[in-house]
Amino acid sequence: DGVRALAAVCNNPGPICIRASPLKHSDRTTLAAVLQREASIIAVPCRYSPWALTVVSPAKPNIRGLQSWQSGAFEVQDEGSQLIALACCDAMRATPTLGAAGFPSDGQHPDAHRRVVLDMCAGRGGKAIAIALHLKQRMETPAHASAPDGQVSCAGATGLHIRKMNLEEHIDAAMIICM
């Protein structure tokens, strides 16, 4: 009985969660208001992520058809992934920037304030992008994605994703690595 109940729950789609872009919105409530005006979408704050909204109504909105999505105002990203990015932001804020040799930087090297994020479970690099946006730093984001058939094209998808959100000044798309 427990296995059947678990299978029944797992066969239901999860909620649609979105992450507001800090480049477009000061907080998630302003994005919720934009979605309401633009397409009568009702979105409420998620429980844990300060960046997240859950779409309540309609059940399956045409996200990609929204001007706000097309302009990079938000991305679809589950709350768990947002919490991972948030934890990484907190850790990176607490860690000094390291120089090329791995020693604390004296700030004199041209790349002294750059950060490198290796996203080992990247689809389109959403967590790495969230980290770059919320740290407001230039960073390289080598993203690693793999699939059994080897057909993942995360580098191209991530590059398009970065350009759509106008993030070129924050993220070096050339550093995206997919295997």
Side-chain angles (χ1 to χ4, degrees):
D1 276 338
V3 172
R4 289 185 193 276
L6 178 60
V9 169
C10 290
N11 283 328
N12 292 320
I16 297 174
C17 292
I18 57 178
R19 175 181 39 81
S21 169
L23 298 178
K24 304 280 184 171
H25 299 285
S26 58
D27 62 48
R28 62 188 174 178
T29 58
T30 59
L31 175 59
V34 167
L35 293 171
Q36 175 68 39
R37 279 193 311 272
E38 182 178 2
S40 299
I41 293 174
I42 298 170
V44 298
C46 287
R47 184 172 184 179
Y48 300 108
S49 172
W51 311 328
L53 291 169
T54 297
V55 175
V56 177
S57 174
K60 294 183 179 182
N62 179 10
I63 297 288
R64 291 184 179 197
L66 298 173
Q67 178 58 37
S68 54
W69 180 82
Q70 293 170 6
S71 70
F74 70 92
E75 282 299 316
V76 175
Q77 186 177 50
D78 66 275
E79 188 176 19
S81 293
Q82 293 182 45
L83 292 173
I84 291 168
L86 182 61
C88 290
C89 287
D90 290 346
M92 290 179 76
R93 284 187 187 105
T95 305
T97 305
L98 300 179
F103 298 104
S105 173
D106 60 5
Q108 300 302 313
H109 189 274
D111 292 331
H113 301 291
R114 291 179 73 157
R115 300 281 190 162
V116 175
V117 172
L118 177 59
D119 186 348
M120 289 298 291
C121 56
R124 295 179 301 142
K127 287 180 287 299
I129 289 170
I131 292 166
L133 284 172
H134 290 281
L135 287 179
K136 296 181 174 69
Q137 293 182 348
R138 171 80 176 153
M139 61 176 42
E140 298 168 358
T141 58
H144 171 83
S146 61
D149 60 6
Q151 298 299 311
V152 173
S153 178
C154 124
T158 303
L160 292 171
H161 188 63
I162 289 168
R163 285 188 292 283
K164 175 185 73 100
M165 295 187 74
N166 298 312
L167 301 176
E168 292 93 341
E169 69 183 71
H170 298 281
I171 299 171
D172 185 352
M175 289 299 297
I176 302 300
I177 302 167
C178 296
M179 303 169 99

